Amino acid sequence: MPTTKSLTNKVPAKKPAAKKSTTKKPAAKRVPAAKPLFDAKYLEKQRKQLLAERGRYITSATRLKAEADSLVEEREPGDVQFDEESGEGDTLAVERERDLALSAQARAAVEQIDAALKRIDNGTYGVCMVSGKPIPRQRLNAIPWAAERVEHKAGGF
């Protein structure tokens, strides 16, 4: 049978507060800013190339959309035969859908180019958006709006 002495809770004695150290830690070393990946001359060359490509894609997208719209406008309702002798209805529909798809692809390229121009402005141009590693200059010369390294774009990693 336990004694009353063992059942009572003992309160531990208070420990004295730790003294603050009077020694100072050395100041953190200042890390120099990372060297830019590309010089201003290269970035300006890329900007000009991006703007030229942007203009070409906008022109192409506008032209293709207009062609798709004209295919609809030039036809009158009931003007197309859908019998075995004439495949004109199918051909016009396919041409229109093709033109609309190509126009959408051109507009998507414009969005990618606009994003690349923003990366030039904010200093992240040429940095892979997936890995954070530099995109090789050869890739940027071929596709100036590239946002990923080849291995990530191809799905290798």
Side-chain angles (χ1 to χ4, degrees), residues 10-26:
K10 291 185 179 180
V11 178
K14 281 190 172 181
K15 294 183 181 178
K19 293 182 181 179
K20 291 185 178 180
S21 175
T22 57
T23 59
K24 290 186 177 181
K25 293 182 181 179

Side-chain angles (χ1 to χ4, degrees), residues 127-130 135 139 145-154:
V127 177
C128 178
M129 296 179 73
V130 176
I135 298 172
R139 176 162 169 74
W145 56 89
E148 299 171 348
R149 293 172 58 90
V150 171
E151 60 265 21
H152 297 290
K153 186 66 175 178

Side-chain angles (χ1 to χ4, degrees), residues 1-138:
M1 178 160 215
T3 63
T4 55
K5 209 175 197 184
S6 65
L7 291 177
T8 60
N9 291 336
K10 291 185 179 180
V11 178
K14 281 190 172 181
K15 294 183 181 178
K19 293 182 181 179
K20 291 185 178 180
S21 175
T22 57
T23 59
K24 290 186 177 181
K25 293 182 181 179
K29 292 182 181 179
R30 186 177 173 137
V31 178
K35 181 182 174 187
L37 291 175
F38 306 106
D39 60 13
K41 185 178 177 181
Y42 179 76
L43 290 175
E44 189 56 33
K45 177 185 146 246
Q46 292 299 96
R47 180 186 302 280
K48 285 180 182 178
Q49 188 174 354
L50 285 164
L51 290 172
E53 287 289 327
R54 186 181 192 282
R56 282 192 282 277
Y57 276 114
I58 286 176
T59 300
S60 179
T62 303
R63 181 183 48 79
L64 288 163
K65 176 78 167 90
E67 286 177 14
D69 292 343
S70 73
L71 288 173
V72 173
E73 291 171 2
E74 291 174 2
R75 278 192 350 213
E76 290 187 26
D79 197 20
V80 179
Q81 290 180 323
F82 290 100
D83 57 13
E84 293 176 11
E85 295 174 13
S86 175
E88 186 178 336
D90 289 338
T91 302
L92 290 176
V94 168
E95 283 182 37
R96 182 171 189 277
E97 289 302 314
R98 178 190 58 98
D99 288 345
L100 289 174
L102 291 173
S103 177
Q105 285 177 347
R107 293 198 188 281
V110 169
E111 289 176 11
Q112 292 175 350
I113 289 169
D114 288 344
L117 290 167
K118 286 180 186 173
R119 289 192 300 275
I120 288 175
D121 291 340
N122 69 23
T124 59
Y125 182 77
V127 177
C128 178
M129 296 179 73
V130 176
S131 68
K133 295 179 181 178
I135 298 172
R137 189 179 285 236
Q138 296 84 358

